[in-house]
Amino acid sequence: MNNFIFQNSTKLIFGKNTEDSVGSEIKNYSNKILLHYGGGSIIKTGLYNKITKSLKDSGVEFIELSGVKPNPRVSLVREGIDICRKENIDFILAVGGGSVIDSSKAIAAGVNYAGDVWDLYTGTPINHECLKLATVLTIPAAGSETSSGSVITNEDGLYKRALGYPTLRPQFSILNPELTFTLPKYQTSCGVADMLAHVMERYFTNQTNVDLTDRLCEATMKTIIDNGLRLMKNPNDYDARAEIMLAGTVAHNDSLNMGRDGDWASHDIEHELSGIYDIAHGAGLSIIFPAWMKYVYKNNINRFAQFGNRVFNLDINLNNPEETALHAIEKLEEFFKAMELPIRFKDAKLPEDRIDEMSKKLVHHKDHVGGFLPIREKDALKILKLAL
Ligand code: NZQ
Ligand code: ZN
């Protein structure tokens, strides 16, 4: 096991009607905030009215910025930064999913930075104070509600890049599983794929003697798979919604990577896909992850066989563990199909003609991606070909 420091200070407020406490919670930090949200789902569902009432009841003044798109754009981030500067705002409330939260984090990081915020997504380190933020989560998926990361797309060149900084973790996050009943089936499935991928990125490691985190990962993956399938049958199953919402947070709050390094090549490759084609991140992952697995499994066949055995209940073929490893990858594909997700480019109607460009952009300014096995341009191209 590696040495590690674990600190995740986000306060989680979980359960029915918890969004009603948003105003009184914010009052502990600020009297004037930016209320940031997406394309209008929160207005349709009535959440907007509940949130603004709670803010008004607590005497919190708010300025609104809506219009965050899935795969959030840097242009709106720049608008948010201008508003915060002009209005002297020091706190941001994100109401929505990973895109709204990531856009809020980008604004929080950019307000006190003298240059253009995109610099912070392309290697310029943060040496300044970020604004504080909080979230009301409406889709369990990205895990941004407790993560230190933010992923933003620059329309200029269609680059999708990530930034990670400890103080970008939200001060608190409100998670009411009932708020996710209104999710379209496809978005529920994309969220399930993303959180499962967050665990798999951590699970496929070269570290040995990481039994506890292996088992925690396996329990989280089984919970995601079982309850994801339950939601396909009954989207209004509160208990399944609650399990998925908690699993999405646990998958990405860094507890599952204590003492181990993750891989993250599938995420990096996927970001090229959703950056260019604007598809949902989870749908990109259900296409890329199985292909990555097929390319790398020989690096540690036993780990893939263990994954098949403990997550998909396969018997390990002791004479031929490779057979179990390959069977495990098939089971993962079956699961994604049962969630009605694409597992190949053609399932998502994506053209095949930009895979060279994606492979090149992936390693722009770096030698490789991936911790389990280094993935360079030529490897990425082969992985993308396996995904066609
Ligand atoms: O914009 P609105 O109208 O709100 O609609 C959203 C959006 O169209 C809709 N939606 C959300 N909650 C809903 C709802 N519709 C009905 N009822 C509800 N309760 O769902 C759509 C997708 O929302 P989005 O926020 O884009 O989804 P998600 O949470 O999957 O976020 C995806 C983004 O997060 C990034 C991804 O790359 C992608 O850009 N990630 C962020 C990470 C992080 N910060 O740590 C890590 C992840 O690996 C990921 O890369
Ligand atoms: Zn993800």
Side-chain angles (χ1 to χ4, degrees):
M1 197 189 294
N2 291 343
N3 289 3
F4 69 91
I5 295 174
F6 173 79
Q7 183 174 14
N8 191 322
S9 48
T10 303
K11 175 177 172 182
L12 272 189
I13 304 171
F14 193 99
K16 294 178 181 173
N17 298 319
T18 42
E19 65 276 17
D20 293 340
S21 66
V22 69
S24 58
E25 287 291 334
I26 286 198
K27 199 74 186 158
N28 296 321
Y29 301 93
S30 180
N31 291 322
K32 185 175 178 186
I33 64 162
L34 182 74
L35 172 60
H36 201 30
Y37 57 95
S41 74
I42 69 161
I43 293 175
K44 277 190 224 125
T45 61
L47 179 60
Y48 173 87
N49 287 340
K50 288 184 92 179
I51 298 289
T52 50
K53 178 177 184 315
S54 175
L55 293 173
K56 283 177 195 156
D57 288 352
S58 299
V60 176
E61 193 186 335
F62 54 90
I63 310 264
E64 294 183 31
L65 179 62
S66 62
V68 180
K69 294 191 175 128
N71 303 315
R73 315 297 202 268
V74 73
S75 52
L76 192 73
V77 169
R78 292 185 182 122
E79 263 184 60
I81 291 171
D82 288 345
I83 295 175
C84 288
R85 285 180 184 154
K86 202 164 111 233
E87 298 285 343
N88 250 328
I89 286 174
D90 61 358
F91 195 97
I92 304 169
L93 175 63
V95 183
S99 296
V100 174
I101 301 172
D102 285 3
S103 183
S104 302
K105 288 176 177 174
I107 297 169
V111 170
N112 293 326
Y113 175 62
D116 180 49
V117 63
W118 187 248
D119 298 347
L120 308 174
Y121 286 78
T122 50
T124 304
I126 295 185
N127 289 316
H128 58 271
E129 209 176 315
C130 299
L131 303 194
K132 291 189 165 69
L133 70 144
T135 85
V136 177
L137 183 67
T138 61
I139 167 170
S144 189
E145 65 276 12
T146 65
S147 81
S148 57
S150 160
V151 188
I152 296 292
T153 297
N154 192 333
E155 299 94 319
D156 183 8
L158 294 179
Y159 285 94
K160 186 173 184 184
R161 293 290 177 261
L163 157 73
Y165 193 64
T167 63
L168 290 177
R169 285 190 207 276
Q171 300 301 305
F172 66 85
S173 281
I174 293 182
L175 278 64
N176 175 359
E178 287 178 317
L179 298 179
T180 69
F181 286 161
T182 54
L183 277 170
K185 198 185 208 180
Y186 179 66
Q187 288 297 344
T188 299
S189 293
C190 287
V192 163
D194 190 17
M195 62 183 77
L196 185 62
H198 292 162
V199 187
M200 294 192 296
E201 296 282 18
R202 292 168 163 96
Y203 190 72
F204 293 101
T205 182
N206 293 318
Q207 258 85 47
T208 51
N209 302 312
V210 284
D211 285 355
L212 178 65
T213 43
D214 266 3
R215 303 274 182 185
L216 291 172
C217 286
E218 289 151 3
T220 311
M221 289 190 278
K222 281 176 93 74
T223 303
I224 293 168
I225 291 166
D226 292 352
N227 288 284
L229 294 172
R230 267 172 76 180
L231 287 179
M232 291 305 280
K233 289 203 192 104
N234 179 10
N236 293 328
D237 179 340
Y238 177 84
D239 296 320
R241 288 278 182 201
E243 296 289 350
I244 287 292
M245 203 162 205
L246 180 56
T249 292
V250 169
H252 207 41
N253 70 2
D254 289 339
S255 58
L256 300 185
N257 50 273
M258 288 188 281
R260 56 200 289 153
D261 294 327
D263 181 70
W264 299 101
S266 300
H267 260 72
D268 287 329
I269 300 172
E270 193 297 314
H271 286 163
E272 299 306 328
L273 221 66
S274 48
I276 290 179
Y277 296 117
D278 202 17
I279 60 165
H281 171 62
L285 286 166
S286 62
I287 294 171
I288 296 299
F289 229 109
W292 172 84
M293 286 176 154
K294 287 172 199 167
Y295 190 71
V296 305
Y297 77 92
K298 285 192 177 145
N299 184 48
N300 190 342
I301 287 176
N302 288 343
R303 180 154 281 280
F304 276 85
Q306 175 182 299
F307 169 71
N309 174 252
R310 295 193 190 162
V311 178
F312 288 110
N313 306 320
L314 301 178
D315 289 331
I316 296 188
N317 182 341
L318 294 173
N319 297 320
N320 186 4
E322 183 169 2
E323 186 193 81
T324 316
L326 289 169
H327 196 180
I329 301 170
E330 271 171 38
K331 295 295 277 185
L332 179 68
E333 290 189 331
E334 271 172 34
F335 169 68
F336 285 146
K337 278 201 237 167
M339 296 301 296
E340 297 178 15
L341 288 164
I343 59 167
R344 299 284 185 274
F345 269 55
K346 55 180 172 302
D347 300 335
K349 300 193 171 51
L350 297 180
E352 301 178 3
D353 56 341
R354 293 179 79 173
I355 57 174
D356 288 297
E357 177 191 343
M358 282 187 252
S359 312
K360 273 197 184 65
K361 274 168 110 181
L362 176 75
V363 288
H364 190 58
H365 291 319
K366 50 188 158 209
D367 178 64
H368 68 274
V369 298
F372 183 64
L373 199 71
I375 301 294
R376 298 186 170 81
E377 183 184 334
K378 66 172 179 16
D379 307 297
L381 191 60
K382 286 181 189 156
I383 292 170
L384 286 164
K385 281 187 178 157
L386 285 168
L388 293 178

